[in-house]
Amino acid sequence: MSDASNLGLFVCFEGIDGSGKTTHSRLIVERLCALGYDAVYTTEPTRWSEPGKKLRESFFAPTRLPVEDEFKLFLKDRLFHVKSEVIPLLNDGKIVVTDRYYFSSVAYQGARGLDWQYILEENEKIAIIPHLVIFLDLPVDVALDRIASERTEGVNTFEKEESLRKVKDIYLLLADRFPKLITKIDATREIFEIQKEILKLIKQVQNNKQ
Ligand code: ADP
Ligand code: TYD
């Protein structure tokens, strides 16, 4: 794995489902563009690669893919994302804001029982290290309430709650392990307050890099 290009800035958002990643990554891209920066939103799993499409289909299947197979698809999709989007955009000097990256594999496939050190090592072979990882920290019950209030169909909350707790524990472990890379943000607050903190953080990292 190599560091992100010196030209652009690579920021990624991580957190459990419903923690606000899509909201904040999209809003910060709009804000940065309004301030004159050249910022671009990307997401994983991607919508265009074959593994990305397979993964998105699998989310609606009655049974989950075996965790090893699921992990390999995420890894292949990530390679596609890095090569076809992240690297070219960084080389163009852009701020790349991605909604999920390899920490999602560590947390989610780790929560399904795959050794998280192994997941990290496999990712380190193909991914590039971002300049900043923003972990949106939200209690599982609050995240589930937010998801439930935006959906008409029900969420299987019991099963979801248990697995999201495991996912969150791994994210917290990663944040402890990589304190310089991963910044934990209290996501229980109002959207505008969180955005202010995110903008400040990105500007700081941008300035330190120059
Ligand atoms: P994720 O991408 O992490 O799954 P979303 O950005 O889709 O999360 O947010 C989940 C739901 O919570 C959405 O309905 C969104 O509008 C809402 N939401 C996001 N951030 C906040 C916040 N700070 N306060 C209240 N609701 C929020
Ligand atoms: P996403 O569309 O970001 O879901 P949400 O907006 O609800 O957070 O991601 C879909 C699912 O994919 C999500 O439940 C987390 C999972 N996922 C993994 O399990 N491993 C990974 O490496 C990635 C990128 C996502």
Side-chain angles (χ1 to χ4, degrees):
M1 176 158 44
S2 53
D3 286 336
S5 147
N6 277 332
L7 292 170
L9 190 78
F10 188 19
V11 178
C12 74
F13 279 84
E14 290 285 358
I16 57 172
D17 302 41
S19 58
K21 295 176 303 298
T22 305
T23 304
H24 285 292
S25 45
R26 287 201 177 278
L27 281 174
I28 201 66
V29 164
E30 270 177 38
R31 179 90 174 104
L32 287 165
C33 289
L35 291 170
Y37 295 94
D38 206 350
V40 182
Y41 169 89
T42 73
T43 188
E44 287 191 13
T46 71
R47 287 169 208 286
W48 301 282
S49 79
E50 280 313 312
K53 283 189 217 159
K54 275 194 197 148
L55 281 164
R56 288 191 179 273
E57 276 164 28
S58 79
F59 298 153
F60 300 100
T63 48
R64 287 283 290 270
L65 292 168
V67 65
E68 262 288 350
D69 297 354
E70 193 179 71
F71 171 58
K72 289 199 173 124
L73 286 173
F74 276 116
L75 205 60
K76 281 188 187 154
D77 182 51
R78 181 154 306 122
L79 188 59
F80 172 87
H81 176 219
V82 168
K83 278 191 171 167
S84 68
E85 293 187 272
V86 177
I87 292 176
L89 289 167
L90 289 174
N91 285 340
D92 266 359
K94 302 202 193 298
I95 300 181
V96 181
V97 176
T98 181
D99 185 349
R100 291 197 182 281
Y101 195 40
Y102 64 86
F103 309 90
S104 285
S105 286
V106 180
Y108 281 79
Q109 279 61 62
R112 288 193 66 195
L114 209 58
D115 177 42
W116 72 266
Q117 298 274 15
Y118 159 76
I119 303 174
L120 195 59
E121 279 164 26
E122 290 304 298
N123 273 285
E124 283 172 355
K125 293 178 190 164
I126 61 117
I128 54 172
I129 305 174
H131 294 101
L132 172 65
V133 181
I134 297 172
F135 167 55
L136 295 171
D137 189 10
L138 192 68
V140 170
D141 54 339
V142 181
L144 285 172
D145 283 349
R146 286 187 187 172
I147 293 171
S149 65
E150 72 173 357
R151 281 181 198 167
T152 45
E153 80 273 28
V155 187
N156 180 352
T157 40
F158 181 69
E159 204 181 301
K160 191 100 185 166
E161 190 167 340
E162 226 176 64
S163 65
L164 282 187
R165 282 195 198 289
K166 289 190 197 155
V167 171
K168 184 167 172 184
D169 285 347
I170 301 179
Y171 271 130
L172 290 173
L173 202 135
L174 284 171
D176 271 353
R177 181 72 65 99
F178 302 106
K180 282 193 189 142
L181 179 63
I182 304 177
T183 300
K184 222 169 20 174
I185 286 204
D186 172 8
T188 59
R189 297 166 296 159
E190 296 285 335
I191 291 174
F192 81 93
E193 264 187 70
I194 302 171
Q195 276 288 302
K196 258 203 301 198
E197 191 177 340
I198 291 170
L199 182 62
K200 202 167 136 198
L201 250 172
I202 293 179
K203 283 185 172 172
Q204 261 169 14
V205 175
Q206 173 85 304
N207 288 340
N208 289 342
K209 191 181 145 263
Q210 279 159 0

